[in-house]
Amino acid sequence: GEDVEQSLFLSVREGDSSVINCTYTDSSSTYLYWYKQEPGAGLQLLTYIFSNMDMKQDQRLTVLLNKKDKHLSLRIADTQTGDSAIYFCAERYSSASKIIFGSGTRLSIRP
Amino acid sequence: EAQVTQNPRYLITVTGKKLTVTCSQNMNHEYMSWYRQDPGLGLRQIYYSMNVEVTDKGDVPEGYKVSRKEKRNFPLILESPSPNQTSLYFCASSSGAGGGNNEQFFGPGTRLTVL
């Protein structure tokens, strides 16, 4: 069945790069997403990548997709305190109606 | 302002007392969905709706009902809540099924506690 896995926690020093990793199982996924959830708020779409792409860059965010290993990563350059949040990886399943979310990675920033 | 609203934001209730969590969107979106968020489990889809009068089960539909009589509203109904339904609930909407540019917009969440 479909599954999306992430580590639960990541701690980085302010100014360093953060790399959040995700693995998924459905090789027929068409889109893969990264969502950000700040405390007390809903999820906000950060970025997405189409499955025929290897990389997508958007300002401080870089998404890398390794289809062979079914591995997705989100790199945040120059991590700031405002980046503290839970980051969810998600895949759009082959049927149009379903998006599967990972458990979320809580990113904390050290001074 | 384009948004998804949920009410109530917080609710404490007792086992067996029927409740409804409302969800409304002002973006004329066809697709709406309910998720529950539990620690270590991420978001799990409860029900979704592709359009008015079209609803279908997600991954964890047991104990829940939904209806879609109007495009803007998608209420979540718990006929007989139980403690294992204590969770954080999110409603989401999108113009399509949430793929690519059809971004899913999430409501602020409803924290439900069932005693």
Side-chain angles (χ1 to χ4, degrees):
Chain A
E2 64 269 10
D3 197 12
V4 178
E5 294 191 355
Q6 304 175 238
S7 55
L8 291 180
F9 301 99
L10 177 65
S11 175
V12 299
R13 194 183 303 276
E14 187 175 1
D16 288 351
S17 292
S18 306
V19 179
I20 304 171
N21 295 302
C22 168
T23 57
Y24 60 97
T25 56
D26 182 14
S27 59
S28 64
S29 296
T30 52
Y31 288 94
L32 295 128
Y33 307 89
W34 284 104
Y35 281 85
K36 178 182 181 181
Q37 183 183 30
E38 296 185 358
L43 277 69
Q44 182 181 14
L45 181 66
L46 268 183
T47 186
Y48 66 92
I49 188 168
F50 190 51
S51 59
N52 69 352
M53 297 167 65
D54 297 323
M55 186 181 92
K56 182 177 181 181
Q57 187 150 7
D58 183 3
Q59 299 181 339
R60 292 192 297 123
L61 304 179
T62 303
V63 178
L64 294 176
L65 175 61
N66 181 330
K67 288 185 287 295
K68 174 175 168 291
D69 295 336
K70 299 192 186 71
H71 182 266
L72 182 74
S73 68
L74 172 70
R75 178 177 181 271
I76 305 173
D78 187 25
T79 308
Q80 303 298 309
T81 53
D83 296 323
S84 292
I86 301 176
Y87 291 83
F88 289 91
C89 169
E91 63 170 341
R92 178 183 174 186
Y93 194 46
S94 51
S95 74
S97 58
K98 202 166 183 177
I99 296 178
I100 308 296
F101 286 84
S103 57
T105 299
R106 184 180 293 274
L107 176 64
S108 62
I109 316 300
R110 309 190 296 273
Chain B
E1 180 191 354
Q3 60 181 354
V4 179
T5 56
Q6 296 178 226
N7 280 293
R9 293 288 313 279
Y10 303 91
L11 178 61
I12 301 174
T13 189
V14 295
T15 298
K17 186 176 181 184
K18 180 179 177 180
L19 67 93
T20 299
V21 184
T22 64
C23 173
S24 183
Q25 49 93 5
N26 62 2
M27 295 168 279
N28 201 37
H29 284 165
E30 291 84 19
Y31 183 88
M32 297 185 75
S33 185
W34 275 104
Y35 296 88
R36 60 178 288 174
Q37 182 181 11
D38 301 291
L41 296 176
L43 271 74
R44 293 180 292 168
Q45 191 178 50
I46 303 170
Y47 268 95
Y48 63 93
S49 169
M50 301 288 276
N51 214 323
V52 175
E53 301 291 3
V54 180
T55 63
D56 210 344
K57 295 177 181 179
D59 294 314
V60 288
E62 295 78 20
Y64 304 95
K65 283 174 52 178
V66 292
S67 69
R68 189 89 183 273
K69 295 188 172 60
E70 308 163 277
K71 200 170 188 180
R72 62 184 292 124
N73 295 324
F74 189 44
L76 179 70
I77 303 154
L78 283 72
E79 294 271 4
S80 183
S82 62
N84 65 11
Q85 292 177 298
T86 293
S87 187
L88 180 59
Y89 291 87
F90 288 101
C91 180
S93 75
S94 66
S95 57
N101 283 333
N102 291 333
E103 176 183 350
Q104 280 204 76
F105 291 84
F106 282 80
T110 295
R111 187 167 291 283
L112 172 65
T113 302
V114 183
L115 303 175

